Amino acid sequence: LHLVALLSLEPKRNLFTHPDGRWIADSYIPAMFRSYPFRMLRHSDGDKVVLCVDEEAGLVTDGAGNEQFFDEAGQPTKAIGEIAKFLEALERSRREMQVGIEALAAAGVIVPWELKAFHESREFPIQGIHRIEEQLLHKLDDEAFLKLRRAGALPVAYAQLVSMLRLEFLSR
């Protein structure tokens, strides 16, 4: 399991971005979008991550006046170094959050989310997503709850529960 954001209840539609790719929601822009077309990917040796760029995004071009990736000595420029630091921090945060998600799963409080949406006057299920079952979270004994706190899982659980209140926004 991993954390995702619902950006629409309709297939192939993102309610938070304009067709030209601009973020149009008046809310927090997820780091994954802010850092695009850059991303850290795990190296095949499994121990390190490598800064990668999506060259097919149309955002990376050659030519005068563009931000350079490398200086004359072949070293990453300051801008690329800052992007790398941002993405390294994001990756650390993602790994920490994954520990919390795994702890929530082990505690048995993550359940399939039986969510339905409407598109062009018909109802369809949204499959493959899960949610925190608040009642199961409240029924945990003290030891299990403390395990979740120590794993950093409680902020993730509560954020997901609160985010469910925004579901009506997606429906509208």
Side-chain angles (χ1 to χ4, degrees):
L1 294 172
H2 59 274
L3 198 60
V4 298
L6 286 177
L7 301 175
S8 176
L9 297 178
E10 296 179 33
K12 299 180 183 178
R13 184 166 181 211
N14 182 333
L15 298 173
F16 293 84
T17 57
H18 188 273
D20 68 9
R22 284 180 294 119
W23 189 260
I24 56 175
D26 61 349
S27 60
Y28 171 79
I29 301 172
M32 179 174 270
F33 293 120
R34 289 193 322 256
S35 61
Y36 187 76
F38 298 97
R39 185 170 176 198
M40 288 297 220
L41 295 175
R42 189 149 307 284
H43 190 274
S44 60
D45 69 10
D47 285 341
K48 31 182 188 173
V49 291
V50 179
L51 178 63
C52 300
V53 63
D54 181 358
E55 292 179 344
E56 295 178 10
L59 300 170
V60 178
T61 59
D62 288 329
N66 292 329
E67 183 76 41
Q68 299 296 308
F69 284 14
F70 300 97
D71 63 20
E72 296 79 26
Q75 296 300 310
T77 61
K78 182 179 177 188
I80 292 297
E82 289 172 3
I83 291 168
K85 284 181 190 173
F86 174 74
L87 288 170
E88 287 167 356
L90 188 63
E91 175 63 15
R92 274 191 308 277
S93 176
R94 187 202 61 76
R95 283 193 312 264
E96 291 168 4
M97 194 173 309
Q98 190 60 37
V99 169
I101 292 166
E102 290 168 9
L104 290 162
V109 299
I110 298 177
V111 299
W113 195 356
E114 296 181 21
L115 186 60
K116 294 184 181 178
F118 294 90
H119 180 65
E120 297 177 355
S121 301
R122 69 181 174 97
E123 181 180 275
F124 64 94
I126 298 177
Q127 299 176 338
I129 60 174
H130 294 75
R131 65 180 177 80
I132 302 297
E133 175 58 59
E134 188 173 9
Q135 286 72 29
L136 293 174
L137 189 63
H138 290 302
K139 289 180 182 179
L140 291 175
D141 64 33
D142 291 347
E143 184 178 330
F145 196 80
L146 185 58
K147 254 186 182 176
L148 291 180
R149 185 178 69 79
R150 287 183 178 145
L154 295 177
V156 175
Y158 292 131
Q160 193 278 317
L161 289 168
V162 169
S163 75
M164 290 171 59
L165 301 173
R166 301 283 293 163
L167 194 57
E168 185 181 327
F169 170 78
L170 290 179
S171 297
R172 284 185 278 143

PDB file of all heavy atoms in Angstrom, residues 86-100:
ATOM      1  N   PHE A  86      15.821  19.124  -2.424  1.00  0.00           N
ATOM      2  CA  PHE A  86      14.376  19.100  -2.208  1.00  0.00           C
ATOM      3  C   PHE A  86      13.837  17.680  -2.402  1.00  0.00           C
ATOM      4  O   PHE A  86      13.079  17.171  -1.573  1.00  0.00           O
ATOM      5  CB  PHE A  86      13.692  20.072  -3.171  1.00  0.00           C
ATOM      6  CG  PHE A  86      12.192  20.027  -3.136  1.00  0.00           C
ATOM      7  CD1 PHE A  86      11.499  20.585  -2.074  1.00  0.00           C
ATOM      8  CD2 PHE A  86      11.469  19.437  -4.158  1.00  0.00           C
ATOM      9  CE1 PHE A  86      10.113  20.547  -2.026  1.00  0.00           C
ATOM     10  CE2 PHE A  86      10.091  19.393  -4.125  1.00  0.00           C
ATOM     11  CZ  PHE A  86       9.400  19.957  -3.058  1.00  0.00           C
ATOM     12  N   LEU A  87      14.250  17.030  -3.477  1.00  0.00           N
ATOM     13  CA  LEU A  87      13.755  15.685  -3.767  1.00  0.00           C
ATOM     14  C   LEU A  87      14.315  14.639  -2.804  1.00  0.00           C
ATOM     15  O   LEU A  87      13.625  13.670  -2.483  1.00  0.00           O
ATOM     16  CB  LEU A  87      14.046  15.315  -5.216  1.00  0.00           C
ATOM     17  CG  LEU A  87      13.176  16.055  -6.236  1.00  0.00           C
ATOM     18  CD1 LEU A  87      13.681  15.821  -7.646  1.00  0.00           C
ATOM     19  CD2 LEU A  87      11.721  15.657  -6.111  1.00  0.00           C
ATOM     20  N   GLU A  88      15.537  14.834  -2.327  1.00  0.00           N
ATOM     21  CA  GLU A  88      16.095  13.923  -1.319  1.00  0.00           C
ATOM     22  C   GLU A  88      15.283  14.018  -0.031  1.00  0.00           C
ATOM     23  O   GLU A  88      14.964  12.995   0.593  1.00  0.00           O
ATOM     24  CB  GLU A  88      17.569  14.233  -1.060  1.00  0.00           C
ATOM     25  CG  GLU A  88      18.479  13.800  -2.178  1.00  0.00           C
ATOM     26  CD  GLU A  88      19.887  14.373  -2.071  1.00  0.00           C
ATOM     27  OE1 GLU A  88      20.159  15.190  -1.140  1.00  0.00           O
ATOM     28  OE2 GLU A  88      20.718  14.028  -2.924  1.00  0.00           O
ATOM     29  N   ALA A  89      14.931  15.238   0.370  1.00  0.00           N
ATOM     30  CA  ALA A  89      14.099  15.422   1.570  1.00  0.00           C
ATOM     31  C   ALA A  89      12.722  14.814   1.352  1.00  0.00           C
ATOM     32  O   ALA A  89      12.165  14.181   2.256  1.00  0.00           O
ATOM     33  CB  ALA A  89      13.987  16.912   1.909  1.00  0.00           C
ATOM     34  N   LEU A  90      12.182  14.998   0.176  1.00  0.00           N
ATOM     35  CA  LEU A  90      10.882  14.417  -0.164  1.00  0.00           C
ATOM     36  C   LEU A  90      10.938  12.895  -0.098  1.00  0.00           C
ATOM     37  O   LEU A  90      10.027  12.250   0.424  1.00  0.00           O
ATOM     38  CB  LEU A  90      10.472  14.888  -1.560  1.00  0.00           C
ATOM     39  CG  LEU A  90       9.078  14.552  -2.030  1.00  0.00           C
ATOM     40  CD1 LEU A  90       8.032  15.213  -1.154  1.00  0.00           C
ATOM     41  CD2 LEU A  90       8.907  15.007  -3.477  1.00  0.00           C
ATOM     42  N   GLU A  91      12.010  12.321  -0.590  1.00  0.00           N
ATOM     43  CA  GLU A  91      12.174  10.863  -0.560  1.00  0.00           C
ATOM     44  C   GLU A  91      12.300  10.358   0.874  1.00  0.00           C
ATOM     45  O   GLU A  91      11.715   9.340   1.240  1.00  0.00           O
ATOM     46  CB  GLU A  91      13.389  10.442  -1.404  1.00  0.00           C
ATOM     47  CG  GLU A  91      13.720   8.967  -1.352  1.00  0.00           C
ATOM     48  CD  GLU A  91      12.651   8.042  -1.886  1.00  0.00           C
ATOM     49  OE1 GLU A  91      11.711   8.498  -2.574  1.00  0.00           O
ATOM     50  OE2 GLU A  91      12.727   6.829  -1.595  1.00  0.00           O
ATOM     51  N   ARG A  92      13.053  11.077   1.708  1.00  0.00           N
ATOM     52  CA  ARG A  92      13.151  10.684   3.130  1.00  0.00           C
ATOM     53  C   ARG A  92      11.774  10.721   3.779  1.00  0.00           C
ATOM     54  O   ARG A  92      11.386   9.808   4.507  1.00  0.00           O
ATOM     55  CB  ARG A  92      14.105  11.621   3.879  1.00  0.00           C
ATOM     56  CG  ARG A  92      15.551  11.231   3.809  1.00  0.00           C
ATOM     57  CD  ARG A  92      16.413  12.032   4.780  1.00  0.00           C
ATOM     58  NE  ARG A  92      16.252  13.469   4.678  1.00  0.00           N
ATOM     59  CZ  ARG A  92      16.874  14.251   3.788  1.00  0.00           C
ATOM     60  NH1 ARG A  92      17.712  13.715   2.922  1.00  0.00           N
ATOM     61  NH2 ARG A  92      16.675  15.548   3.766  1.00  0.00           N
ATOM     62  N   SER A  93      11.037  11.775   3.512  1.00  0.00           N
ATOM     63  CA  SER A  93       9.695  11.916   4.065  1.00  0.00           C
ATOM     64  C   SER A  93       8.775  10.801   3.570  1.00  0.00           C
ATOM     65  O   SER A  93       7.990  10.240   4.340  1.00  0.00           O
ATOM     66  CB  SER A  93       9.124  13.280   3.678  1.00  0.00           C
ATOM     67  OG  SER A  93       7.811  13.412   4.109  1.00  0.00           O
ATOM     68  N   ARG A  94       8.883  10.460   2.291  1.00  0.00           N
ATOM     69  CA  ARG A  94       8.062   9.390   1.725  1.00  0.00           C
ATOM     70  C   ARG A  94       8.377   8.057   2.407  1.00  0.00           C
ATOM     71  O   ARG A  94       7.480   7.305   2.754  1.00  0.00           O
ATOM     72  CB  ARG A  94       8.295   9.274   0.215  1.00  0.00           C
ATOM     73  CG  ARG A  94       7.347   8.279  -0.464  1.00  0.00           C
ATOM     74  CD  ARG A  94       7.891   7.775  -1.780  1.00  0.00           C
ATOM     75  NE  ARG A  94       9.146   7.061  -1.651  1.00  0.00           N
ATOM     76  CZ  ARG A  94       9.266   5.813  -1.192  1.00  0.00           C
ATOM     77  NH1 ARG A  94       8.222   5.140  -0.785  1.00  0.00           N
ATOM     78  NH2 ARG A  94      10.450   5.237  -1.117  1.00  0.00           N
ATOM     79  N   ARG A  95       9.670   7.786   2.633  1.00  0.00           N
ATOM     80  CA  ARG A  95      10.056   6.534   3.302  1.00  0.00           C
ATOM     81  C   ARG A  95       9.517   6.495   4.727  1.00  0.00           C
ATOM     82  O   ARG A  95       9.026   5.461   5.189  1.00  0.00           O
ATOM     83  CB  ARG A  95      11.571   6.372   3.293  1.00  0.00           C
ATOM     84  CG  ARG A  95      12.118   5.917   1.954  1.00  0.00           C
ATOM     85  CD  ARG A  95      13.575   5.446   2.032  1.00  0.00           C
ATOM     86  NE  ARG A  95      14.463   6.346   2.738  1.00  0.00           N
ATOM     87  CZ  ARG A  95      15.231   7.269   2.179  1.00  0.00           C
ATOM     88  NH1 ARG A  95      15.221   7.424   0.877  1.00  0.00           N
ATOM     89  NH2 ARG A  95      16.010   8.035   2.908  1.00  0.00           N
ATOM     90  N   GLU A  96       9.615   7.625   5.454  1.00  0.00           N
ATOM     91  CA  GLU A  96       9.084   7.694   6.820  1.00  0.00           C
ATOM     92  C   GLU A  96       7.568   7.475   6.813  1.00  0.00           C
ATOM     93  O   GLU A  96       7.026   6.778   7.669  1.00  0.00           O
ATOM     94  CB  GLU A  96       9.422   9.035   7.458  1.00  0.00           C
ATOM     95  CG  GLU A  96      10.895   9.208   7.761  1.00  0.00           C
ATOM     96  CD  GLU A  96      11.274  10.635   8.116  1.00  0.00           C
ATOM     97  OE1 GLU A  96      10.378  11.505   8.210  1.00  0.00           O
ATOM     98  OE2 GLU A  96      12.482  10.886   8.298  1.00  0.00           O
ATOM     99  N   MET A  97       6.890   8.078   5.849  1.00  0.00           N
ATOM    100  CA  MET A  97       5.445   7.922   5.758  1.00  0.00           C
ATOM    101  C   MET A  97       5.085   6.480   5.427  1.00  0.00           C
ATOM    102  O   MET A  97       4.101   5.950   5.935  1.00  0.00           O
ATOM    103  CB  MET A  97       4.878   8.869   4.699  1.00  0.00           C
ATOM    104  CG  MET A  97       3.379   9.010   4.795  1.00  0.00           C
ATOM    105  SD  MET A  97       2.725  10.267   3.690  1.00  0.00           S
ATOM    106  CE  MET A  97       3.732  11.679   4.063  1.00  0.00           C
ATOM    107  N   GLN A  98       5.895   5.838   4.608  1.00  0.00           N
ATOM    108  CA  GLN A  98       5.625   4.445   4.249  1.00  0.00           C
ATOM    109  C   GLN A  98       5.715   3.548   5.475  1.00  0.00           C
ATOM    110  O   GLN A  98       4.940   2.599   5.607  1.00  0.00           O
ATOM    111  CB  GLN A  98       6.592   3.979   3.149  1.00  0.00           C
ATOM    112  CG  GLN A  98       6.236   2.635   2.557  1.00  0.00           C
ATOM    113  CD  GLN A  98       4.866   2.612   1.905  1.00  0.00           C
ATOM    114  OE1 GLN A  98       4.445   3.583   1.278  1.00  0.00           O
ATOM    115  NE2 GLN A  98       4.153   1.510   2.047  1.00  0.00           N
ATOM    116  N   VAL A  99       6.632   3.845   6.387  1.00  0.00           N
ATOM    117  CA  VAL A  99       6.716   3.089   7.643  1.00  0.00           C
ATOM    118  C   VAL A  99       5.399   3.213   8.397  1.00  0.00           C
ATOM    119  O   VAL A  99       4.857   2.225   8.915  1.00  0.00           O
ATOM    120  CB  VAL A  99       7.900   3.580   8.509  1.00  0.00           C
ATOM    121  CG1 VAL A  99       7.841   3.007   9.914  1.00  0.00           C
ATOM    122  CG2 VAL A  99       9.219   3.237   7.833  1.00  0.00           C
ATOM    123  N   GLY A 100       4.852   4.423   8.452  1.00  0.00           N
ATOM    124  CA  GLY A 100       3.568   4.637   9.114  1.00  0.00           C
ATOM    125  C   GLY A 100       2.435   3.894   8.427  1.00  0.00           C
ATOM    126  O   GLY A 100       1.578   3.289   9.090  1.00  0.00           O
TER     127      GLY A 100
END
